[in-house]
Amino acid sequence: VQLVESGGGLVQAGGSLRLSCAASGFSFDDYRIGWFRQAPGKEREGVACVINSDGSTYYRDSVKGRFTISSDNAKKTVYLQMNSVKPEDTAVYYCSADEGGTGWGIVLGNGDGMDYWGKGTLVTVSS
């Protein structure tokens, strides 16, 4: 099983960035894919989640309207489009997969219990 994130980097406040998560080794269509982030000194938190079986999406309030999660089941890749980024979005962003669980449970949680994890990609937003 592999989840490989890419697309992180340095971006100015107000700018945009697109993260990608390439998955392999499991039944992608049957899984929920979540993006989590962890800022220095803070607990990991859910950001967005997509249910691959039906395409439903879920977002934490702090990113709603600015971030968009999408899934390309044919490419087994999940994207996180980040627009109007803020300095408080600075964190390591992780992609994670879970066969069970609810979308809200994943977004509002800290990721404990998720089945698989990527190694993360760093997003730094300068003010």
Side-chain angles (χ1 to χ4, degrees), residues 12-13 22 51 62 83-84 126:
Q12 285 191 330
I51 310 296
S62 58
N83 296 332
S84 303
S126 62

Side-chain angles (χ1 to χ4, degrees), residues 14-87:
S16 297
L17 209 59
R18 189 176 83 155
L19 307 183
S20 299
C21 171
S24 62
F26 62 96
S27 299
F28 185 80
D29 292 2
D30 296 332
Y31 275 69
R32 295 106 169 91
I33 308 295
W35 283 99
F36 293 79
R37 66 186 180 187
Q38 187 164 22
K42 293 190 176 181
E43 188 179 12
R44 186 175 59 201
E45 64 179 15
V47 175
C49 174
V50 59
I51 310 296
N52 279 336
S53 59
D54 64 12
S56 52
T57 57
Y58 304 81
Y59 299 93
R60 176 171 289 271
D61 280 351
S62 58
V63 307
K64 200 174 295 183
R66 299 189 298 122
F67 291 9
T68 302
I69 189 170
S70 60
S71 182
D72 186 331
N73 286 21
K75 293 183 178 180
K76 296 187 178 181
T77 300
V78 174
Y79 304 97
L80 185 69
Q81 178 67 43
M82 305 168 62
N83 296 332
S84 303
V85 295
K86 304 175 181 180

